[in-house]
Amino acid sequence: MPRILMTGAAGGIGTRLRQLLPPIYPDLLLSDLKAPADLAKNEKFMAAELSDLAQVEAICEGIDGILHFGGFAVEGPWDTILQSNIIGCYNLFEAARKKGVKRIVFASSNHAIGFYPRYHRIGPDVTPRPDSRYGVSKVFGEALGALYADKYGMTVTCLRIGNFGDVPLDQRRLSIWLKPEDMVQLCRIGLEHPDVHFEILYGASFNERSWWDNSRAYELGYRPEGRAEDFRDRALAEQAKLPPDPVGDFYQGGTFCSAEFANDNAKIW
Ligand code: 15L
């Protein structure tokens, strides 16, 4: 039975996956800065500060595979991103290497490629076009993943997650929605599939308006059950309540693109 570590266990994705993963991975170690308030007696938890290598090494002891969801999950000041997502991510890969962990699934984000326009369909192999310091940190994590796979023989899967949740929240999310159960499928590919060496897969359900070519995920057996169009009316009604955002509505990254935007040319493509 593989021993799996999940960082970011108190965050949005971690909290939901705490419900879905135990039947698949009964030997699951949870980690975050602080224990989730509702931690159950049968859940194993170890606190760790990602920017402290010794603490990260301690949580990697005896682990076979890691789901790395820890770090700062939105745009933030440089020092926050630096500590949590740059130094923290480096520490995670380095601690995993030192402790002989075989597989890592890294929570990358659509914000690694947020400055692609919505009309531009992209695969996993395009030049990154991050839309934020947060997006840059995800590109860094993907690069680290490639290095640790190629140089140290680790099996690394980077999931460029769209928007994780039970329903697509607005028009943009109709293109990038990821149902939690589909996220579990992608995690399992990263933790178990024999043909993975280094992969970048899109963390998206079956969304007819998708901007992404996720055929590699399908080749690896991904069969998403979520279909964003089933929630179309609700999502469009929510969209109608939002103010127009000429920059954000043009690019895949949405408000991450329009925040702090100071370019004369709103449509750089
Ligand atoms: C992300 O990467 C964030 O973690 C999440 O909070 C959402 O903002 C999501 O992207 C999104 O683009 O909707």
Side-chain angles (χ1 to χ4, degrees):
M1 193 205 298
R3 180 148 222 242
I4 305 300
L5 165 68
M6 180 167 77
T7 68
I13 296 179
T15 300
R16 191 74 172 80
L17 291 198
R18 277 171 56 212
Q19 300 163 346
L20 298 175
L21 288 178
I24 306 162
Y25 302 116
D27 196 359
L28 184 65
L29 174 64
L30 308 175
S31 184
D32 209 306
L33 282 171
K34 277 198 231 146
D38 61 345
L39 192 75
K41 282 214 172 61
N42 58 348
E43 289 184 299
K44 289 182 280 274
F45 179 84
M46 266 177 87
E49 163 69 62
L50 289 171
S51 58
D52 181 327
L53 180 60
Q55 291 187 32
V56 186
E57 282 182 23
I59 58 173
C60 288
E61 194 71 60
I63 294 295
D64 300 301
I66 300 176
L67 299 171
H68 182 43
F69 304 144
F72 205 68
V74 288
E75 178 62 315
W78 170 241
D79 197 53
T80 305
I81 299 292
L82 175 66
Q83 298 302 327
S84 305
N85 292 12
I86 303 280
I87 297 173
C89 191
Y90 176 78
N91 286 346
L92 191 278
F93 275 93
E94 184 56 10
R97 182 191 68 79
K98 286 186 172 174
K99 297 293 177 184
V101 179
K102 300 272 182 302
R103 287 180 178 250
I104 296 186
V105 175
F106 167 62
S108 183
S109 166
N110 71 90
H111 298 292
I113 42 85
F115 263 121
Y116 280 95
R118 296 185 184 189
Y119 63 73
H120 199 324
R121 186 172 168 82
I122 57 173
D125 50 356
V126 291
T127 304
R129 297 294 288 262
D131 56 24
S132 48
R133 291 172 290 280
Y134 167 71
V136 169
S137 77
K138 295 300 180 181
V139 176
F140 174 79
E142 292 180 359
L144 265 185
L147 176 69
Y148 277 71
D150 294 341
K151 185 155 285 197
Y152 304 116
M154 226 178 245
T155 298
V156 178
T157 306
C158 302
L159 302 177
R160 279 188 188 156
I161 300 168
N163 190 259
F164 174 94
D166 287 324
V167 294
L169 299 172
D170 53 24
Q171 185 168 353
R172 175 172 164 268
R173 271 59 170 258
L174 286 174
S175 298
I176 67 168
W177 178 53
L178 176 60
K179 183 175 167 143
E181 286 77 2
D182 294 339
M183 174 70 163
V184 171
Q185 280 195 46
L186 292 167
C187 291
R188 292 194 71 172
I189 289 171
L191 291 175
E192 299 172 33
H193 202 292
D195 297 341
V196 172
H197 166 63
F198 172 76
E199 299 286 351
I200 295 176
L201 307 176
Y202 283 96
S205 290
F206 171 63
N207 303 330
E208 277 135 309
R209 303 177 190 219
S210 178
W211 305 311
W212 306 326
D213 175 358
N214 210 12
S215 47
R216 179 63 182 147
Y218 287 80
E219 270 173 37
L220 293 168
Y222 182 48
R223 297 291 177 269
E225 60 181 56
R227 177 174 178 265
E229 288 306 300
D230 292 342
F231 303 91
R232 190 188 65 154
D233 293 350
R234 184 186 185 284
L236 294 181
E238 290 304 313
Q239 181 68 35
K241 297 178 194 163
L242 299 172
D245 176 356
V247 174
D249 292 342
F250 181 74
Y251 293 106
Q252 298 189 5
T255 54
F256 283 62
C257 296
S258 47
E260 302 177 35
F261 192 83
N263 191 341
D264 292 342
N265 183 1
K267 297 189 176 173
I268 45 189
W269 284 79

